[in-house]
Amino acid sequence: PSMEQIGTVVLCPQTVDAVGIPVIVGGGFGDGRGLAMALAMGAEGVLMGTRFMATRESLVHANIKEWMVQAKETDTAFIQASIRNPSRVMRNKRAEQVMEMEAKGATLEQLLPLISGLNGRRALTEGEIDAGTVSCGQGVGLTHDIPTVRELVDRIVSDAERAIKRMGATVGGRGGSRGRTLLVWPAPQRISFAVIYSPRSAFSFASHSSSARTSKRNTLSLISRPSSVQLRDFASFVQMSNTLRM
């Protein structure tokens, strides 16, 4: 989150208007309806971190996943603003301690023992809920089960398509989309994933990586014959996206 805690619904269209490159928006997205909303705001796709933590393939401990399924959107905490490094985390005992100390004017040195990444890693990997601060967005309120990545992505796509068709019918259009793109790649710790959806690109999702076809000739065929691609960085996505537009 930003220091000012400005919502995604405001930041996304502002960013789309301000830049001339593809915009991937994150913050509060947990299902296909959010994906459709992001596309309607002009983004090329969404970044989902919290939702993909609660998948079977995620390396997050089962205790954390179960906590997420039971959690509400109000079970998160906004911390570290006092040191200008804001973060939204699970509301556990450690996060509440941090908030109390920040309210009293604690320094970075005083906060470090509580916000140490080593403590957070212990919580994530060993399942000690209160061991450290664990990044977790308000989208946790949309997390109700622990599916496989493939099941979740298929659900996101189908829900987004239904939402887009519904919006099309509402405004008198035909609804639907021209194609789909879903790119999934792990974060450095292989805990969260990014999901990207775009009608202008030539990729879609399958449970295991196969091959990516980037020529214009194959664009339409991939709508009905999904393949997948794992990108190591955003620069690769931009390069592939530009190739498709040439």
Side-chain angles (χ1 to χ4, degrees), residues 41-203:
M41 292 190 294
E44 296 290 337
V46 297
L47 175 70
M48 290 186 190
T50 298
R51 185 60 189 92
F52 278 83
M53 289 170 65
T55 55
R56 295 182 193 175
E57 293 90 339
S58 168
L59 299 182
V60 172
H61 195 278
N63 290 352
I64 301 292
K65 295 179 184 180
E66 185 58 33
W67 180 93
M68 296 177 68
V69 170
Q70 300 300 323
K72 303 184 294 295
E73 64 278 3
T74 54
D75 290 326
T76 66
F78 183 74
I79 64 172
Q80 298 177 198
S82 65
I83 57 174
R84 303 195 65 77
N85 185 28
S87 179
R88 188 168 292 280
V89 298
M90 293 170 48
R91 184 179 289 272
N92 57 14
K93 292 181 180 179
R94 189 56 60 95
E96 290 176 348
Q97 289 177 331
V98 173
M99 288 190 291
E100 291 175 4
M101 292 182 63
E102 286 191 279
K104 296 177 181 178
T107 65
L108 171 61
E109 289 71 21
Q110 292 171 321
L111 292 172
L112 279 177
L114 297 178
I115 62 177
S116 165
L118 293 176
N119 292 333
R121 180 183 292 273
R122 191 164 84 249
L124 285 169
T125 60
E126 299 178 19
E128 298 180 35
I129 300 293
D130 297 311
T133 56
V134 177
S135 294
C136 182
Q138 291 174 318
V140 71
L142 298 171
T143 300
H144 307 301
D145 59 359
I146 307 173
T148 65
V149 169
R150 180 171 188 170
E151 290 169 344
L152 179 57
V153 170
D154 286 345
R155 184 193 309 169
I156 291 169
V157 172
S158 61
D159 287 351
E161 289 179 338
R162 279 195 296 271
I164 292 170
K165 289 178 181 178
R166 185 169 61 251
M167 287 188 292
T170 300
V171 299
R174 290 179 296 176
S177 61
R178 290 175 294 169
R180 71 177 66 158
T181 291
L182 280 170
L183 308 179
V184 180
W185 77 88
Q189 290 78 32
R190 298 178 60 196
I191 288 173
S192 59
F193 295 78
V195 177
I196 302 171
Y197 182 108
S198 172
R200 286 202 292 242
S201 302
F203 305 101

